[in-house]
Amino acid sequence: MSAALAVAAIAVAGCGDDDEDTESAKKVEPGAAEQAKGNVNWCIGKDTTGTFSKAVKEFSSQGQVKANLIELPAAADEQRTQLVQRLQAKSSECDVLGMDVIWTAEFAAQSWLQDVSDIVAERKDVWIPSTLETAKYEDKYWALPYNTNAGFVYYRTDQVQEPPDNWQAVYSEAAKGDGIVYQGARYEGLTVNFLELLYSAGGKVLSDDGKTVEIDSPEAVEVLKFMADGIEQGAAPKAVTTYMEEESRRAFESGGATFMRNWPYAYSLGKDSKIAEDFDITTFPKFGEGEGAGVLGGYDVAISAYSKNPDGAAAFAEFLTSPDWQKTIMTEASLPSTLTKTYDDPAVQKAFPFAVKLRTAVEQAQPRPVTPVYPQVSEAIFKNVHLALQGKMAPDEAIKTMKGDIDKALQTF
Amino acid sequence: MTAEAVPRSKSGTPARGAAGGPKGSGRGRQALLWLAVIAIMIFCLFPFYWLINTSLKTGPDLSSANLLPPNPSLKNYDSIFTDADFTTALRNSVIVASITTFFALLFGSFAGYALARLRFRFKFVILAIVLSISTFPPIAIAAPIFKLWTDTGLYDTLLGLIPPYLTFSLPLTIYILASFFKEIPRELEEAALVDGATHFQAFRKVVLPLAAPGFVTAGLLAFIEAWNQFLFAITLTSSPDARPVPAALAFFTGSQKFEVPLGTITAATVVITVPLVIVVLIFQKRIVAGLTAGAVKG
Amino acid sequence: MEAATVARPRRRGSGLSERRLAAAMVSPSMIVITLVAAYPIGYAIWLSLHEYSVRVPGLSRWSGLKNYDTALSSSEFWEALRNTFLFTGISVTIELVLGIAFALAMHQAFKGRAVLRATVLVPWAVLTFGSGLLWRSIFEPDLGFANSMLSALGLPGGDILWLGQEGYAMAVMICADIWKTAPFMALLLLAGLQVIPDDVYDAAKVDGASAWQRFLRITLPLLKPAILVALLFRTLDALRVFDLPFALTGGANGTNTLSLYAYQELTANRLVGLGSALSVLTFLIVMIVSFMYIRFVGGNIRGLADER
């Protein structure tokens, strides 16, 4: 059932057929999960809400397979470094991997993941379609979508009558009020913020097959200029170029901003703060004429190619993505589910008053560029966007440099 | 430049006595001296005190800058000691550092003796090699060792940590022990040799016992060096079973996405540091002697 | 101190000749060092001459000096180099000055010296990585001690994002290093002070030399050997700094150092060839500095190898 791993000896990157990278990956068959036994380790970031431990306990009590939680650092980047280190050492320590949605292509291309296309195919309809895109690479599925995330515009209800329906209006209202805060520091979060606007404007980073760069478009320049002007003209404070999620959340919660772009997690925290009564959220407005669009966050669960118990791992992954457990993570951990039906559940709607808005946001969100060299591509993006935001580079020059940097990234050997 | 940088000692020699004359006013000088001493003590102790202070705070207190914990509690310590990963890391560190120290002393005393006493060619070369190791940037060999250990199965094991740790503890150990050996009067060994002992027996029976204080110093310094190792700790281990304490500390920290667990981090740091501080204080004379051996002789 | 060398007595016992014994005694250490340092460095150089595919597992190709070219033409490398030297220059200088000042203060004969010496060892005993975390917490924006104190005292700077801005982050890193090491320097120098005989000073006082002159003409020159050795080790340590920037900022905001940069390329970016080239370059830089140093200071090290 599991083919032996063959090292692919292919000519230099950039060319080659579509499926060559992952031709000989291991595959896990559905149904194997049912006869599974033994132990599995689940490697995922810090269990800040306690639901991860609960999951392994619950799962272990249900059947033959015993699950065990191995916590990685809380920061996604550090989780990746930890997983990469183990996978490069071919360690069998982790059976089930908690994968940030942007790692799929990279890990799959390295043959670190098992092909779970058949497992996904069995239940394909239960998942929100956009979330499945994050688990796909080269037309195969490499993980089961576990939790998702999409950003919102938070706004002060005491300062804004009706949330504007396009970004331009948001910024001009912000300029008149206390401004908009978002994640503008020099990191992955900035890539997300930039892409949200870019996608709304109809722009793209890569072609659909991931092989050519399409960032050097008038839309991209327009979006970047819009963001840079926003800071220069005071719609967004200068400090925003040092903000990550927490800094922007704190700025908004302390009453220092009229608008904020952030993930859903800030909603419940905001309801506990001094502005509890005075804010609400809305899905992303459009940029100019286009449709509002977002960028998908979240985590998928994958099975390590070096796992000694892939069947047990599959069983656990199925458990994590089952309707019951998806409901639990949403109500108890505030992690948005990847299953469509979960959002209709009354208990979920009680915990998330904006549940349906959230599902809409997820449905209209898109994944970040799918490429095995995503880290380099992302750096090319946030590096140059940051320079433009700081006023150190003109937007059109920044986009041109960005194209050059992404080109180089795609040429990575 | 920084908020609390203490100004340099006010009684540096230049300020000796207001009058500046050879017999400068004793009182003025004394006062300045005391001021300097206090300044030094604050400089050294305050951050450490702050560490302990923070570790006794929980919840909202952590966000305040109170000099004394408003609600002192041992909760942070409790939570790190019940964290199996942390206690395992402590155990790992103790094991690896102890084994490293043992071998550092063993190999180091042999090499130190040879360098200090025996005549042989290439002595300077050997010495240069040994000293040059102490200038090696660990990063230069981290990736190769990672690859080697991955291929040989030593990755993620306590055993795998020992060779790199040993390599970086050896130079100082050799240097210190060699200096101590040199201090011992040659006549004693020569007497033994005249009596028919071999060089090695002279080493074992005459020199070693006399150099015992040097071993304490060298052992302590080797232990501290191994205890502090960070780069190898994070590169060569991944599972809690093999991870030493500095790497485990790196895991305590995390993103800015969630609350920074300042309480537990500082508690962990205190736990890791306090025993070391106590040991260092007990043996301070030896440590100072060891550190300065050779530096002064010039 | 040196006894006149006696004619070497005839060995009567059996046992290895001096040379063989020396070889035997030195070999365990040499073996460890060769295995763990020499061979890996060779391997690192080998790795640096290849490129390892980031996309395709197991694929590599010979690339000669290309990685070095990439490294030397990357702005990040030069920035890391600049940061490392800046950090080294400033922190070692301040540590030396403070170290001399502390040593002088500790040297003035008075009671309680043991306590002071103990106090001074405390920063050095704190786990290096732990001290990095400690300083990070002190300079946390809002919650940290530094900003709270500044605000409480009404001084400017209470809202500085210390670790979030270039320049300030480096300042914090230097501060952290000084805290940890200046006391250590002081100890090294104190021992040097202690061997200077009092009568030298007394003679100078009698001749009418002022305190400052005594310091310049007597103390400093006699302290020179100790200063030079302390400087050497501190400089080499500072050039290799890794734990501090890792703990404080992860290398952001102008604190990326040579070692940390090489580490990032190796682990986060998985560029084994480039990372190895950077590691080798770091190694070379440190070696060059140490060689240059030893040229000037060489006498001290040779002393150890000389027969007495």
Side-chain angles (χ1 to χ4, degrees), chain B residues 205-221:
Chain B
K205 300 203 172 138
V206 174
V207 177
L208 279 190
L210 287 176
F215 274 79
V216 172
T217 310
L220 273 173
L221 293 174

Side-chain angles (χ1 to χ4, degrees), chain C residues 39-58:
Chain C
Y39 176 61
I41 262 288
Y43 193 12
I45 296 178
W46 171 256
L47 290 174
S48 71
L49 297 173
H50 290 76
E51 270 181 306
Y52 292 85
S53 173
V54 164
R55 295 164 163 276
V56 179

Side-chain angles (χ1 to χ4, degrees), chain B residues 13 43 119 135-136 198 228, chain C residues 14 18 104 128 179 240 307:
Chain B
T13 322
F43 177 84
R119 271 204 299 210
T135 67
F136 250 62
T198 64
N228 266 316
Chain C
S14 59
E18 207 170 328
L104 286 170
T128 316
W179 178 71
R240 300 179 290 166
E307 290 275 74

Side-chain angles (χ1 to χ4, degrees), chain B residues 1-4 8-9 13-14 16 22 29 33 37 40-41 43-48 50-51 63 65 67 107 110-111 113-114 117-121 123-124 126-127 130-137 139-141 143-145 147-148 163-164 166-167 170 174-175 182 186-187 194 196 198-200 203 221 224 227-228 230-231 234-235 246 249-250 253 262 265 269 272-273 276-277 280-281 284-285 287-288 291-292 295-296 298, chain C residues 3 8-9 13-15 18-19 21-22 25-26 28-30 32-33 36-37 39-41 43-44 47 97-98 101-102 104-105 108 110 114-130 133-135 137-138 143 145-146 148 162 171 175 178-179 183-184 187-188 191-192 195 205 211-212 214-215 225-226 233 236 240 242-243 246 259 262-263 266 272 279 282-283 286-287 300-302 304-308:
Chain B
M1 181 172 75
T2 58
E4 51 72 69
R8 42 176 290 204
S9 154
T13 322
R16 196 177 288 177
R29 201 219 292 205
L33 194 57
V37 167
I40 293 177
M41 292 187 73
F43 177 84
C44 294
L45 292 180
F46 180 74
F48 187 64
W50 187 252
L51 188 68
S63 322
L67 282 175
F107 294 175
F110 285 1
Y113 182 70
R117 279 289 190 256
L118 302 178
R119 271 204 299 210
F120 58 101
R121 287 159 61 178
K123 195 188 259 201
F124 186 66
I126 303 263
L127 188 61
V130 166
L131 283 182
S132 71
I133 296 303
S134 61
T135 67
F136 250 62
I139 186 64
I141 53 180
I145 297 187
K147 273 181 171 278
L148 279 173
L166 187 53
T167 306
L170 266 178
I174 294 178
Y175 191 66
K182 267 193 183 290
R186 262 188 182 268
E187 295 81 38
V194 163
T198 64
H199 277 287
F200 193 71
F203 169 65
L221 293 174
I224 291 177
W227 189 257
N228 266 316
F230 180 65
L231 180 58
I234 56 176
T235 316
L249 253 194
T253 71
L262 208 51
I265 294 175
T269 312
I272 295 163
T273 304
L276 212 57
V277 170
V280 162
L281 292 183
Q284 44 160 314
K285 272 221 177 88
I287 292 179
V288 174
L291 288 175
T292 59
V296 176
Chain C
R8 196 155 287 280
S14 59
E18 207 170 328
R19 286 223 164 81
L21 180 65
M25 291 185 90
V26 164
S29 300
M30 286 296 115
V32 171
I33 289 176
V36 181
Y39 176 61
I41 262 288
Y43 193 12
L47 290 174
V97 167
L98 272 187
F102 285 12
L104 286 170
Q108 307 293 313
F110 75 115
V115 170
L116 191 58
R117 192 173 51 200
T119 309
V120 151
L121 275 175
V122 165
W124 177 69
V126 174
L127 188 80
T128 316
F129 185 66
L133 295 180
L134 166 65
W135 283 96
S137 82
I138 289 181
L143 312 175
F145 177 74
S148 316
W162 293 97
C175 182
I178 291 176
W179 178 71
F184 179 73
L187 281 178
L188 291 183
V195 290
K205 282 187 216 174
W212 180 246
R214 289 200 298 273
F215 175 68
F233 281 107
L236 295 179
R240 300 179 290 166
F242 178 83
D243 302 12
F246 190 97
S259 290
Y263 175 79
L266 275 172
V272 176
S279 306
T282 307
F283 168 62
V286 177
M287 287 306 264
N300 293 307
I301 314 293
R302 271 188 183 270
L304 188 60
D306 285 348
E307 290 275 74
R308 295 227 196 152

Side-chain angles (χ1 to χ4, degrees), chain A residues 76-84 103 106-107 375, chain C residues 268 270:
Chain A
D77 273 345
E78 290 171 42
Q79 289 163 26
R80 177 180 161 277
T81 312
Q82 290 297 314
L83 287 178
V84 164
W103 305 335
E106 183 191 357
F107 282 37
Chain C
R270 295 196 288 119

